[in-house]
Amino acid sequence: TQYIPLLPVFRRCFPEPPDDIYTPIDKSSPRTVKYHQARPNEGRERGRSRNLQRLPPFAAHLCGAMKKEHLKYLACPCCKGDLCIIDVQKQSDVSVETGVLGCLKCDAKYDIIRHIPRFVPLEKYAIGFGLEWTIHSRTQYDSYTGSNVSEQRFFEETRWHRRLQGEIILEVGSGSGRFTEQAASTGAMVISLDYSYAVDANYASNGTKNNVLIVQADVYRMPFREGLFDKIFCIGVLQYTPDPAAAFAVLPRYLKSG
């Protein structure tokens, strides 16, 4: 019998925090992720008129992968401009499987790969944690183990009600999605973020839930509108970032006022 040893975990695979973490982002900064540029007016003319119409009209009533109604939750991580779907290369009956998001303000472009919007370049994938959560993708799921360990930890640490319909929750650092499952059980809309390709393992378990959107992105440059979320949780993540204080300081700006 061959056993696969658990991977030793020494450091959460997030990028270094940018120098401008507390100031408006300068697109010319070397820390800004560069993407190929859209043609002039491509996002404004082509994205709105033709490609968005290629999505099936019934998609809004089906599962929670990347769909055009999710654009209201997303924003360009570089300039916070509006995003639109400017190309659909492959789609399932329910969502965009392969395509491109474009910023209407700065013309940056971001890939949709396997139903997941990717706001970090491929060469920046956090291989260590992605591999860990891919190999052990279900081992901590209550629905897999038959226990209530994840449920108990989630509700004890957040102290949230078990029914949160109508609210929007941000999960920072999802791993394979053990707590995504618990957050989704409240009925809230859950936007789940991770920097590694563990998002694919999360999608395999939670991506078909109507109230879940999974994105691959950087905690220091999150692709969301500020002031969007009713609640944010981040369990077992910040202590592994290069600068936990800076990572924590980013989060409050995405909460609704009050």
Side-chain angles (χ1 to χ4, degrees):
T1 303
Q2 182 180 6
Y3 296 93
I4 301 174
L6 287 172
L7 298 175
V9 179
F10 298 108
R11 183 173 180 271
R12 185 70 180 179
C13 295
F14 278 99
E16 294 290 336
D19 296 333
D20 58 358
I21 192 68
Y22 299 108
T23 59
I25 294 170
D26 178 2
K27 290 191 296 180
S28 65
S29 168
R31 306 254 355 146
T32 301
V33 176
K34 298 295 184 182
Y35 295 85
H36 56 287
Q37 295 295 306
R39 293 190 296 274
N41 297 321
E42 180 181 42
R44 296 174 177 82
E45 298 176 2
R46 181 166 167 259
R48 288 181 183 274
S49 61
R50 182 166 64 90
N51 285 303
L52 285 178
Q53 294 176 3
R54 293 165 65 182
L55 293 170
F58 54 83
H61 306 293
L62 298 172
C63 79
M66 180 63 216
K67 301 182 297 233
K68 65 180 181 180
E69 64 268 22
H70 288 148
L71 293 173
K72 63 186 177 183
Y73 303 118
L74 300 175
C76 176
C78 293
C79 71
K80 297 302 180 187
D82 292 338
L83 297 177
C84 70
I85 300 172
I86 63 174
D87 189 24
V88 177
Q89 300 162 19
K90 184 178 180 181
Q91 67 183 57
S92 67
D93 290 339
V94 295
S95 68
V96 179
E97 182 174 346
T98 305
V100 179
L101 293 172
C103 177
L104 297 176
K105 184 176 180 181
C106 72
D107 290 331
K109 299 170 74 174
Y110 309 96
D111 290 326
I112 303 169
I113 301 173
R114 294 186 293 276
H115 304 279
I116 299 172
R118 316 278 178 159
F119 295 94
V120 292
L122 297 180
E123 66 271 17
K124 291 288 188 179
Y125 279 20
I127 295 174
F129 269 82
L131 179 61
E132 175 194 1
W133 291 125
T134 298
I135 294 175
H136 309 289
S137 61
R138 299 281 295 169
T139 56
Q140 292 181 312
Y141 273 72
D142 288 355
S143 58
Y144 177 79
T145 64
S147 69
N148 68 341
V149 173
S150 294
E151 177 188 8
Q152 185 175 358
R153 183 178 177 188
F154 177 80
F155 286 105
E156 284 184 356
E157 292 200 13
T158 63
R159 301 182 182 181
W160 293 346
H161 295 295
R162 291 178 178 266
R163 291 292 176 263
L164 297 172
Q165 289 91 340
E167 296 195 9
I168 307 172
I169 295 175
L170 172 61
E171 176 184 20
V172 177
S174 68
S176 68
R178 65 183 286 207
F179 295 119
T180 310
E181 179 180 56
Q182 300 304 321
S185 73
T186 67
M189 180 65 195
V190 179
I191 315 296
S192 182
L193 172 150
D194 200 277
Y195 186 71
S196 78
Y197 65 82
V199 292
D200 292 293
N202 193 359
Y203 181 83
S205 297
N206 295 299
T208 56
K209 292 180 170 66
N210 291 328
N211 60 328
V212 172
L213 171 63
I214 298 167
V215 303
Q216 185 171 12
D218 173 1
V219 66
Y220 299 109
R221 294 242 174 95
M222 293 193 289
F224 309 120
R225 305 180 190 283
E226 296 186 3
L228 174 65
F229 298 98
D230 296 283
K231 292 176 171 60
I232 297 176
F233 74 96
C234 185
I235 300 176
V237 175
L238 293 182
Q239 65 267 35
Y240 296 112
T241 61
D243 189 340
F248 180 81
V250 170
L251 303 181
R253 71 179 70 163
Y254 292 93
L255 283 169
K256 293 178 180 177
S257 60

